Structure formats: structure tokens, C-alpha cells
Amino acid sequence: MTTRYRVEYALKTHRRDQLIEWIKGLLAVPFVLHSQPTAVSEESQGNVTQKASTAHRRYAEILRDVEALINDHSTPESQLTSSDRCLQIRHFTVAHQKAGTPERSKLKLLVPSVGSFFTPLLLEEAFIYQDRKRSISSRRFVAPSFNDVRLTLNTAQIMSLVRSGPLQLITFDGDVTLYDDGESFTDDNPVIPRILSLLGQGTKIGIVTAAGYTDATKYYDRLHGLLDAVQTSKLKPQHKQGLIVLGGESNYLFKFSSSAPSLLEFVPRNAWLLEEMKLWTEKDITELLDVAEGSLRESVNNMRLPAVVLRKERAVGIIPEEGRKFTREQLEETVMVTQDILQACPVGKRLPFCAFNGGNDVFVDIGDKSWGVLSCQRFFGGIEGNKSLHVGDQFLSAGANDFKARLACTTAWIACPAETVALLDELALLGKMESERMEGRNEG
């Protein structure tokens, strides 16, 4: 049973995505006006169908307007060589972002926390696609939900990527995205054949994980199912080399190697670091981790947590004592206190970091996933953000380490490994539909 406390806690700002909540609020209006939550027996089936059709039309109109708000500063159609929407996507630029004044856009005024967009979002078409699957318009007691909007945004992003294709790079989080929390990538994981298919098409794959190890064996222990599958597959050698692992958010890079004992080969930092990352000094790194460790120890003492402090080369965190577990509130309090302290100190302004809730631990890493994704893009020759997709489960503004990936590329927010499988199937299906559409245009 959902308690009043849990409801109020879930409404806290740090646990909400403002864009999704805003869209959900817009969709609540036609739901209230047109849902008519009466028993089916009280009215004819035709009337129910008519109301569902009306709700569908109103929902689609709203999302078309939101799509226009996102795209209204894009290059005007009169300046394009064609009014074709695919070309419009290829030429997409947001004037306020390009001019360095995103705070002046109408969308920014309505949703102050909204970030940058790397592509248009085809929200109206995506809603029609998701409505067929989720029966959003036919529901009369359950309004369009957070998940309805989240999945519609995912589909809108996938549609845009396949139409402006090809998609050159997909990066994945590990836990909860590719496999269950705390588990490993086993050989029966349904994501494996989908990743092999992407590699075979020439799409680069990066696993960007918070787990920070200098030893490839530890990554093999977590990812052995995928690595073994790539090794034994019929993929061409150049396609196999399209798989990399970036650990510690943005600190340790390994590339697939058929000849390595653990099927991963360590890549020296000077081969992939961005120029900005080369400015991070060991002195600043040590100082930031010292401040973070002090904050973590203070939280352990203040909340009397059964915790062990763990210091690594480029990270520091707390893990529970054996057999113990932290509550969600304790984890988030620790993250927010530590984040606040680091943001206020001078070294926290000079050096990027990520303080995140790992489900039953809290860690502070040097760098974050935006730097991790950017490093993957550089390693593969300078792939642009509008040709990259990051898939992860943690996109809330606090204690979520996938959140910063939005600064580097397009993103898809999933809730479990099964949704990752569904997302990749959707990518394949929409890609096939787009190819058939383009073939039809060429024949015509």
C-alpha cells in the first residue's frame, strides 16, 4: 500500500524530471475533460470508442505543440533544400543553443531545467506509436503516466536517430540497464544477440560503467557473457573491435581483444583523454577525494550508518557492512550532502565529479558520464552527439550518474534490462521501416 509519506517523498524535486512532469501535466487536461471514468455497462461501446478517439486526438495535438516548442528555433523550412521532414532533421540546429542563449527560448521559460537537444524529437509520431502499444487514449481511470511520457520520449528520440542515420555509437550503463542490479552479464542475456547485430552493422558499442577497475579480469567477471559471445561470433575482426568498456565513469578504458586473457586490453589514457581531461591534476584529484571522503565519513557518523569507507585511485565511497543494507533515504541524503559540500569547495569548481547512489552504496568518482561518453566518441574518431545514443536507468537530477550523459549525446531512459531489449528491438524495427520507406521513395 502506498503511504502518504511515500507519495510526498516521490514528489520531491530531486526525484522528478521537470520536462516529463510538465508534459504529463499538459496531458492531464484532456484526460480530465474526455476520459469519463464510468462503467462500460453504463454506455455503449461506440461511445467508449468515440471518447478514446477524442482523447487520442487531443493528446496528439498537445505533443505536436510540445514538439514545435522544441523545434521552433530550428532552421526554417524555407532555408532547406526540401520540405521533407528527414531533411529537416538532418539540418536541425537550435538557434538559441547555437547563439549561446538557451535561456531565452520559450521552452526554457516554461521548463527552466531543460537542457540541450541534439536532434528534434518526433513526439506526435512517437505518441501514436506508443498509444498502439500502451492503450493510453483508451484508459479512463489511469491518466497518462510518467512512464507513458518517458517511453514516448524514448521512441521520439529513436525515430529521429534512424531518420537522420546512421547511428554510429550506442553507450550503455551496466547495472539495471544491461543486467539486474548487482548481477553480471551472463551468456543467456537477451541483449547479447541485439548487441552482436549492432556490431555487425558497424555501430560502435561502449559500456560506460561506474565500476572502476584497473584489472581487466574484474570487468570480464561482470561482462563475461557478452565478451565470450563476441569472441565466438562470426563477426569480422574490425566489428569486434567496435566494443569498448569505460570504467569509473570516465577513468579506465579497455577495448575488446581476442588475444587478451580476459578479452579486454587496457588502453593508456594518453590515447583517448580529451584535451580538457589532461588538465586534471593529481593534486586536485587527491584534494577532491579527500573532501569527499570527509563528507562521507561525516554522513556515516551523523546517521550511524553500518558502513565501510572504500578509497580507490579515482573514487571514494561507502559500502554497507556484510549483511547490512542502507535505506533509500540514507543513500540519497548522503549523496546530496556530499554533492553540496563538493560543489561549494574550490576544487569542486575546478574538477568535474559525480556523486551517485548505486542502490546500496554511495560513490564519488572523478569525472562523470558526460566525459565518459565524450571519450568514447573521441576514441572512435570523433563521433558527434547527434549520432550517439546513451542508454541508462539513472536520469534523475540527484544521485543519478546517467544524468550528465545528456550533455554529450542523445539519451534513452529505461527502467530495467527488459526495457533495454525492447528499446533495441524498437530501434531495429524503426530502422527497417525507414529503410523500406527510403527504398520506396527511390523507386518512385
Side-chain angles (χ1 to χ4, degrees):
M1 181 177 179
T2 302
T3 64
R4 178 180 176 184
Y5 169 74
R6 287 177 63 85
V7 170
E8 291 178 348
Y9 182 79
L11 294 176
K12 297 297 183 183
T13 301
H14 72 280
R15 295 198 58 79
R16 300 168 69 188
D17 181 282
Q18 298 300 319
L19 179 62
I20 292 180
E21 294 293 339
W22 178 67
I23 294 174
K24 191 176 78 167
L26 295 177
L27 296 176
V29 175
F31 174 78
V32 170
L33 295 176
H34 300 287
S35 63
Q36 298 294 325
T38 56
V40 173
S41 60
E42 295 177 11
E43 52 186 325
S44 68
Q45 185 62 43
N47 197 23
V48 172
T49 303
Q50 181 181 4
K51 288 174 180 176
S53 177
T54 302
H56 175 90
R57 177 176 55 80
R58 293 293 298 274
Y59 291 153
E61 288 172 352
I62 287 172
L63 287 168
R64 185 193 313 148
D65 291 339
V66 175
E67 181 179 329
L69 281 175
I70 293 173
N71 301 342
D72 70 340
H73 296 303
S74 63
T75 305
E77 287 190 15
S78 59
Q79 297 180 20
L80 299 180
T81 57
S82 169
S83 61
D84 178 62
R85 204 169 187 187
C86 296
L87 285 176
Q88 186 175 2
I89 290 172
R90 291 190 180 97
H91 287 268
F92 178 79
T93 57
V94 176
H96 285 93
Q97 290 174 191
K98 190 174 181 181
T101 57
E103 70 281 356
R104 297 182 185 177
S105 74
K106 185 174 182 180
L107 183 62
K108 188 71 173 179
L109 294 174
L110 293 168
V111 188
S113 64
V114 74
S116 299
F117 295 93
F118 289 88
T119 70
L121 293 179
L122 307 181
L123 290 173
E124 183 182 8
E125 289 184 57
F127 167 73
I128 293 170
Y129 179 90
Q130 284 292 339
D131 197 22
R132 294 193 195 104
K133 297 174 65 176
R134 300 179 64 82
S135 304
I136 301 169
S137 302
S138 299
R139 299 196 313 239
R140 296 184 296 155
F141 288 87
V142 179
S145 67
F146 182 95
N147 285 331
D148 292 327
V149 178
R150 175 177 61 84
L151 293 172
T152 298
L153 287 168
N154 286 352
T155 299
Q157 186 62 82
I158 295 296
M159 285 180 167
S160 182
L161 288 169
V162 299
R163 293 189 185 185
S164 62
L167 179 58
Q168 298 176 2
L169 170 67
I170 304 180
T171 57
F172 296 92
D173 179 36
D175 288 87
V176 186
T177 300
L178 293 173
Y179 42 82
D180 290 332
D181 191 25
E183 301 297 324
S184 61
F185 211 138
T186 55
D187 57 8
D188 60 349
N189 191 311
V191 174
I192 290 176
R194 292 155 175 88
I195 289 182
L196 293 180
S197 177
L198 289 166
L199 287 170
Q201 297 167 28
T203 305
K204 309 301 184 185
I205 301 294
I207 298 176
V208 183
T209 174
Y213 309 122
T214 55
D215 181 6
T217 304
K218 292 186 177 180
Y219 286 114
Y220 177 80
D221 291 341
R222 297 293 296 273
L223 306 171
H224 60 88
L226 175 62
L227 295 172
D228 289 341
V230 173
Q231 172 75 332
T232 59
S233 72
K234 296 181 180 179
L235 291 172
K236 297 178 181 178
Q238 65 266 32
H239 290 156
K240 292 182 178 182
Q241 292 168 8
L243 174 64
I244 62 174
V245 177
L246 190 57
E249 309 286 4
S250 57
N251 288 295
Y252 311 103
L253 181 62
F254 294 82
K255 63 180 181 180
F256 182 85
S257 173
S258 296
S259 60
S262 299
L263 301 179
L264 289 171
E265 177 184 337
F266 180 76
V267 181
R269 285 198 178 104
N270 59 12
W272 56 272
L273 281 183
L274 301 167
E275 292 302 316
E276 298 90 336
M277 298 170 74
K278 294 177 181 178
L279 302 177
W280 302 352
T281 67
E282 291 301 321
K283 180 176 179 293
D284 279 350
I285 290 171
T286 300
E287 182 180 345
L288 188 141
L289 292 178
D290 286 344
V291 175
E293 182 175 345
S295 174
L296 292 170
R297 290 188 182 278
E298 184 177 336
S299 291
V300 169
N301 292 333
N302 290 344
M303 291 188 283
R304 299 181 297 279
L305 302 178
V308 176
V309 177
L310 182 62
R311 179 77 174 251
K312 299 183 178 182
E313 179 192 22
R314 292 204 164 196
V316 62
I318 59 171
I319 59 175
E321 296 174 352
E322 187 173 355
R324 305 297 294 273
K325 186 173 177 61
F326 300 136
T327 66
R328 181 180 63 184
E329 291 81 358
Q330 290 169 336
L331 291 165
E332 293 190 354
E333 173 72 11
T334 303
V335 167
M336 297 178 76
V337 167
T338 303
Q339 187 169 270
D340 189 60
I341 289 174
L342 288 173
Q343 288 174 338
C345 71
V347 69
K349 294 179 171 64
R350 296 193 301 269
L351 195 64
F353 65 90
C354 178
F356 67 95
N357 168 4
N360 198 29
D361 57 42
V362 172
F363 269 88
V364 176
D365 284 324
I366 301 299
D368 56 50
K369 284 199 177 174
S370 68
W371 294 101
V373 173
L374 289 169
S375 297
C376 292
Q377 292 169 347
R378 180 182 186 274
F379 181 77
F380 286 122
I383 297 173
E384 297 294 331
N386 62 353
K387 299 294 184 181
S388 309
L389 174 69
H390 178 73
V391 182
D393 67 291
Q394 293 199 30
F395 282 100
L396 293 172
S397 59
N401 60 352
D402 291 306
F403 181 74
K404 290 291 184 70
R406 288 175 170 172
L407 300 175
C409 68
T410 68
T411 59
W413 184 350
I414 58 85
C416 62
E419 281 196 7
T420 301
V421 172
L423 181 81
L424 295 181
D425 287 345
E426 188 173 295
L427 175 63
L429 175 62
L430 293 173
K432 181 181 178 182
M433 292 169 60
E434 179 63 14
S435 296
E436 292 174 350
R437 192 184 75 86
M438 294 303 293
E439 288 175 5
R441 281 171 53 93
N442 293 334
E443 291 174 1

